[in-house]
């Protein structure tokens, strides 16, 4: 089903540039987008500056804080959130589910909080879902998901006017529950789809589990749903999450981390005390050295660190958008995967979902860069291998598959390129076979090419094959069937 | 030999933070350092701004341009370079060797140009060396190196006062000639050691060959010589070059690329026309979008692009310095190696020189991150494997090497951690065995661990070994000797 308020403009794997129309704010938000979290009690950076200096088109605040606040409740009802916060972009509001997860209960129902969100002028509201933590017993996850699903159905019945409504996807760490939750949520007439309760996974650097959870939700939600990775604010994992099909992120981290003197980078988090040089050139880091910031008072230091954290966060969103336009998002993910071994786990988990990526990936992009053993598991490589299983050659013909030049001594002569394997020469100029590959290819790449040879040989049992390779290691050649003759060109 | 003007403060692999004292400028330059190239005829960014806004402590200009210029020669002699350029940091001058390489001859000798450099107030001068291009015939490389070496000896005899003097290291793409050149240069009383004629390698993305050339020069120069990678100005390869022991870089790229609307990043070069978003948050990119810059006149666009290029270049130098302090330079190189397949070749070439790195690497650092199959070839892994060959166990004992818990059924029970292999449990808390490794270990890591098992078994032929592994693939287990029993804990 096509969703009324979300349009996909450009796609690379599961990642995409989209437009989320937010009618109540009369704003179109370009995705991937970052929503800075505003705590009305602690405005580290003024919302008006978020728009003018950092380019934020949308932010998020917690309606439950306004709902329960003596200071803010009436003001929000009288003036509206946009006026109270001083922000003229789109405003999404959370419902208090976080407080529910933290403190066990809250004193508001889905219809009450949705109506309140509408009354204070929220542009995207949220029902009271139940965030089931990772590794919960399956029975609990199942029961709580049923409750969330009931709340979504209740939300459908509430008159929210032009306000869009979130439909959170829960299911703990059970991919099949996440998939069921996604399918149910997508079938409602709600608008935006937060993947919920993933913060504990991110806090524990469980990026592979995070990828599996997102994959489950995406399988259920389908392509057209705008997906919010709820609570994800560290720029280190944005590229990975976008490559899994996430469109919206929200960051409380920029301010929370700043309060603890923590400095965000795309390679992790640093404590200000451990920095002698700023690995950044944002306006804060171009003007200061770490020692300068350490010498400041708490308030100024916190504000400048929060500004740096916002700069690097929005910079990563722009970097990802540029990669999406250029069609090299997976190349960016390769780079980001080297931030931490747990990020590498996340990237390796992504390649386990190559079937899902392959389904949506465009067949032609700029250039395929082979950047690590993981590149041998990219969707393009699997797609080529599947294709080999469907190519038929004349039975009885002799075919040379070679990394070198063609030879007249065979009926046909195909090229071989690791990690893809063999292909007819006339495909040499087509994507992804125009790939840039290292001269020092690794065993994973050679092994992947050997698997391609095996696939072609299986599909053509009556054809005679000879593989002429350049110094492939024994552990790659082991994947070539015995009936394929091999010649080492390097000997 | 210790060199009078260069002191190493901190070291990680071959990379180091150093201090180059430049007596004539009364400046101490912290290395790794970037020297912006100033062409006096085309000042894209004023030298005074290079110091105040970008933090440049040293720049480089070509004395041969002043020597042969009607406009500048007399002014430089009268006022001095610092006054003419408006720069109060250190100034290095080139000699015209570049013009020699481009146009075949120049009309100045080493004594003449060194005296001229002294007279115009250069802080670091350069003799007229012969830059032999890559892949030159060996005889040519050999003869031209002899000429360069004579010139260095001539330079030693010139009275240059307090001015430091460069001793270029040539030898084309012959590592043994580079090594000989390095040894000769280090034995002179000259001060700074540019590795010359590498620009064609960088222009052709031949980073593996670049690494081999640097390694040759370093083997000859030894640890104490400050090394300048002459003509290297693209931030993409700084981390790799620093990890090979380079200390100084110079960038004409920031201005030359800006003139062609080219935008530098640590992941490569983009044409302004191909950018929809700036993947950067430097003051230029925080204030503008690509479309804004495209709408500007040539002069303003060129200046702003040059400023961005300088920001990202100095940012990478700071990022590298921070990594050197934290002891995670190779982790940064892992990241940068994913910019392009040719950079991966460069990183793989670096691991071929693990013996050289291993010799100087400090035995203990913060944490070892396993980030790719290449991590299995890091010096720390090889060092551990060498150590296993020296560990002796009681003959006749039965020893369990296990990825799981210890067992009483054996005389001893050691831990196994990929990529390192086995080690006694009491070493668990020592570097690098405190490594962070992915849960989804790859075949290269398991194979490396298997090689460690093999090394230990070879060293203790009378001891009985059992390897208990967790689902290692056949191609890793193939490296375990037959006499080691294996148990799969996953079964």
């Amino acid at each position: 089903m096509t969703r009324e308020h979300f349009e996909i403009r450009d796609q690379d794997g599961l990642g995409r540039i989209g437009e989320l129309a937010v009618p109540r704010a009369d704003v179109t938000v370009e995705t991937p987008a970052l929503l800075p979290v505003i705590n009305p009690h602690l405005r580290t950076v003024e919302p008006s500056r978020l728009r003018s200096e950092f380019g934020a088109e949308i932010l998020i605040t917690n309606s439950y804080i306004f709902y329960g606040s003596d200071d803010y409740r009436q003001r929000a009802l009288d003036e509206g959130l946009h006026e109270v916060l001083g922000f003229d972009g789109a405003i999404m509001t959370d419902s208090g589910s976080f407080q529910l997860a933290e403190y066990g209960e809250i004193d508001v129902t889905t219809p009450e909080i949705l109506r309140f969100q509408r009354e204070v002028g929220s542009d995207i509201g949220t029902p009271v879902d139940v965030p089931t933590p990772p590794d919960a017993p399956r029975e609990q996850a199942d029961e709580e998901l049923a409750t969330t699903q009931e709340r979504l159905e209740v939300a459908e019945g509430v008159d929210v006017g032009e306000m869009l409504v979130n439909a959170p996807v829960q299911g703990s760490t059970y991919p099949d529950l996440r998939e069921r939750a996604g399918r149910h949520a997508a079938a409602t007439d709600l608008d935006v789809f937060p993947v919920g309760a993933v913060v504990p996974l991110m806090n524990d650097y469980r990026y592979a589990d995070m990828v599996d959870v997102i994959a489950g939700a995406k399988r259920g939600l389908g392509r057209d749903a705008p997906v919010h990775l709820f609570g994800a604010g560290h720029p280190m994992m944005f590229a990975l999450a976008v490559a899994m099909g996430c469109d919206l992120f929200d960051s409380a981290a920029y301010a929370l981390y700043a309060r603890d003197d923590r400095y965000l980078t795309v390679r992790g988090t640093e404590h200000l005390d451990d920095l002698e040089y700023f690995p950044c050139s944002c306006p804060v880091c171009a003007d200061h050295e770490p020692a300068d910031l350490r010498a400041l008072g708490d308030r100024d230091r916190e504000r400048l660190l929060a500004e740096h954290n916002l700069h690097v966060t929005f910079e990563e969103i722009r970097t990802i958008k540029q990669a999406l336009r250029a069609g090299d998002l997976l190349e960016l993910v390769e780079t980001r995967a080297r931030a931490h071994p747990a990020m590498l786990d996340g990237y390796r988990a992504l390649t386990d979902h190559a079937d899902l990526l392959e389904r949506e990936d465009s067949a032609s992009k700029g250039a395929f860069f082979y950047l690590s053993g993981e590149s041998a598991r990219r969707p393009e490589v699997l797609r080529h291998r599947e294709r080999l299983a469907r190519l038929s050659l004349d039975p009885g013909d002799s075919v040379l598959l070679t990394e070198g030049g063609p030879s007249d001594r065979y009926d046909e002569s195909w090229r071989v390129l690791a990690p893809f394997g063999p292909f007819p020469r006339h495909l040499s100029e087509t994507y992804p076979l125009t790939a840039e590959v290292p001269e020092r290819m690794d065993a994973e790449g050679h092994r992947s090419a050997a698997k391609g040879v095996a696939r072609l040989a299986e599909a053509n049992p009556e054809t005679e094959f000879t593989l002429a390779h350049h110094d492939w290691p024994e552990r790659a050649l082991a994947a070539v069937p015995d009936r394929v003759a091999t010649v080492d060109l390097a000997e």
Side-chain angles (χ1 to χ4, degrees), chain A:
Chain A
M1 98 191 249
T2 304
R3 304 213 77 91
E4 200 181 341
H5 300 290
F6 186 61
E7 205 163 322
I8 294 171
R9 292 291 183 194
D10 224 325
Q11 184 142 2
D12 183 5
L14 290 179
R16 59 272 187 99
I17 291 192
E19 287 183 355
L20 178 68
V22 185
R24 206 176 180 196
D26 199 18
V27 162
T28 297
V29 174
E30 189 178 65
T31 64
L34 177 90
L35 293 69
V37 175
I38 299 298
N39 179 335
H41 296 294
L42 304 161
R43 301 188 193 181
T44 317
V45 179
E46 280 300 319
S48 59
R49 291 186 58 206
L50 292 176
R51 184 131 206 213
S52 61
E53 290 177 38
F54 298 92
E57 296 181 315
I58 179 168
L59 57 75
I60 181 168
T61 190
N62 193 334
S63 69
Y64 190 68
I65 294 180
F66 287 87
Y67 186 82
S69 158
D70 295 335
D71 300 345
Y72 281 106
R73 183 187 168 94
Q74 201 54 47
R75 250 192 88 193
L77 286 167
D78 294 345
E79 301 173 15
L81 285 180
H82 291 79
E83 182 67 24
V84 173
L85 297 179
F87 186 75
D88 59 359
I91 297 180
M92 180 188 282
T93 45
D94 193 7
S95 64
S97 301
F98 175 76
Q99 282 72 9
L100 181 68
E102 288 286 296
Y103 310 118
E105 63 179 298
I106 56 171
D107 56 359
V108 71
T109 66
T110 287
E112 284 165 357
I113 199 70
L114 280 176
R115 271 184 227 113
F116 179 75
Q117 289 174 94
R118 183 189 178 182
E119 284 167 20
V120 297
S122 172
D123 301 308
I124 308 174
T126 310
V128 183
D129 63 320
V130 186
T132 311
D135 314 313
R138 185 170 174 104
E139 203 180 338
Q140 178 195 342
D142 212 349
E143 278 172 22
E144 292 182 354
L145 177 55
T147 307
T148 291
Q149 291 180 341
E150 282 164 29
R151 306 260 173 92
L152 300 192
E153 286 155 25
V154 167
E156 284 187 284
V158 178
D159 179 10
V160 293
E162 275 198 310
M163 182 173 80
L164 301 183
V165 177
N166 277 323
V169 175
Q170 297 292 348
S172 185
T173 24
Y174 301 97
D176 62 316
L177 292 189
R178 292 279 185 176
E179 181 169 350
R180 196 210 295 163
R183 193 166 293 117
H184 172 270
T188 65
D189 65 4
L190 304 182
D191 307 287
V192 179
F193 302 87
V195 176
V198 291
V199 171
L201 294 179
M202 290 184 283
N203 288 347
D204 292 346
Y205 277 53
R206 290 171 59 183
Y207 295 112
D209 291 332
M210 181 192 84
V211 163
D212 290 341
V213 160
I214 298 170
K218 288 291 290 186
R219 285 176 198 274
L221 286 166
R223 176 174 183 264
D224 297 321
V227 176
H228 181 170
L229 192 63
F230 204 76
H234 200 302
M236 179 167 71
M237 40 64 67
F238 288 171
L240 179 64
V242 168
M244 287 305 300
C246 296
D247 306 295
L248 300 167
F249 301 90
D250 61 282
S251 173
Y254 79 93
L256 293 176
Y257 281 46
R259 204 158 302 151
D260 295 337
D261 281 342
R262 284 183 296 165
Y263 177 99
L264 297 176
T265 84
V266 292
R267 298 179 57 233
T269 309
E270 303 286 345
H271 196 283
L272 179 61
D273 289 345
D274 298 328
L275 288 173
E276 290 203 43
Y277 309 88
F278 281 138
C280 176
S281 59
C282 79
V284 174
C285 298
D287 269 3
H288 300 84
E289 293 187 8
D292 302 338
L293 256 64
R294 284 193 286 270
L296 291 176
D298 286 354
R299 233 191 141 113
D300 286 338
R301 195 174 68 250
E302 180 181 335
R303 183 178 50 76
L304 287 173
L305 282 173
E307 289 180 19
H308 158 80
N309 289 344
L310 278 171
H311 276 299
V312 72
T313 302
F314 280 105
E315 172 181 343
E316 184 64 357
I317 295 285
R318 289 196 300 276
T319 302
I320 289 166
K321 284 185 188 173
Q322 179 57 36
L324 283 165
R325 290 280 192 218
D328 61 9
L329 179 62
L330 284 183
E331 280 79 2
L332 179 63
V333 174
E334 287 265 5
T335 300
R336 297 296 181 249
R338 317 301 155 176
H340 191 279
M343 283 291 302
L344 181 58
D345 273 327
Y347 180 41
R348 288 177 176 170
L350 174 143
T351 62
D352 287 343
H353 297 285
D355 66 311
L356 185 64
L357 273 77
E358 211 273 326
R359 212 180 299 157
E360 294 193 20
D361 200 30
S362 60
S364 183
K365 293 191 274 192
F368 178 106
F369 278 7
Y370 189 95
L371 299 173
S372 72
E374 285 72 46
S375 295
R377 300 183 64 208
R378 281 180 51 166
E380 294 92 335
V381 178
L382 300 194
R383 185 189 298 148
H384 182 76
R385 201 180 295 154
E386 294 307 320
R387 196 171 170 185
L388 286 172
R390 295 191 305 269
L391 286 178
S392 51
L393 284 152
D394 284 343
D397 264 11
S398 66
V399 178
L400 174 68
L401 313 174
T402 179
E403 292 192 300
S407 165
D408 292 343
R409 289 164 47 206
Y410 300 82
D411 295 317
E412 275 200 64
S413 185
W414 285 23
R415 276 190 66 198
V416 173
L417 178 67
F420 300 101
F423 53 89
R425 279 176 193 272
H426 70 268
L427 293 180
S428 294
E429 298 305 312
T430 62
Y431 185 87
L433 304 170
T434 48
E436 298 261 2
V437 303
E439 286 186 20
R440 297 166 190 235
M441 180 49 74
D442 50 59
E444 294 304 307
H446 285 137
R447 193 176 161 83
S448 167
K451 286 182 184 169
V453 171
R455 196 62 68 89
L456 182 70
E458 276 161 29
N460 295 277
E462 307 296 320
T463 307
E464 194 182 294
F465 291 101
T466 302
L467 169 66
H469 64 87
H470 200 95
D471 200 22
W472 290 11
E474 195 44 57
R475 59 194 193 277
L477 290 170
V480 176
D482 286 342
R483 78 172 192 85
V484 175
T486 59
V487 182
D488 189 344
L489 297 166
E491 273 169 6

